[in-house]
Amino acid sequence: MDKRETSRRVNVVVGVDVQSMDEVAASLETFGTRNTRRLFTSHEIECRLRDSSSVASSYAGRFGAKEAVIKILNPQEIVPSWTEIEVRDSTSGGAEIVLRGIAAELAQRKGIVDISVSISHGGGLAVAAVVANLEIRRSGRL
């Protein structure tokens, strides 16, 4: 490895969240579409209707990813709505994060230039890890 590469600064922020699939299933049963429409975008809901075999699992993973994004954004005064953070299916088969409205504004203020997400399911849990790359802002100091 080149010495210049080892001295390069990388700024990242990581958010992680774990959701119980049973708790999400119970929430879906208790609160139904009212709660689903408050938490998920039309696109997210449509994607789950196409694969009804794992609705609770899918929603648990997506909600965990949204929680992990909130941890990265770390809002102090204004909190984005859940639907301003969208977890979309990517063309590679994984997932990707799309931010809108207040969530996008918070990301821009924080200097977030890229967000990656990984969602995994097992043992009745959904785990989401979100990594954000931050713009390196020069302060004039070393």
Side-chain angles (χ1 to χ4, degrees), residues 68-75 80 85 99 102-104 106-107 110 112:
V69 169
I70 290 291
K71 290 172 183 175
I72 284 173
L73 296 177
N74 192 24
I85 303 166
L99 303 178
I102 293 168
L106 290 170
K110 191 162 184 140
I112 293 173

Side-chain angles (χ1 to χ4, degrees), residues 12-29:
V12 297
V13 181
V14 178
V16 177
D17 193 72
V18 178
Q19 295 291 318
S20 163
M21 289 185 260
D22 288 342
E23 288 178 17
V24 170
S27 176
L28 290 169
E29 190 173 313

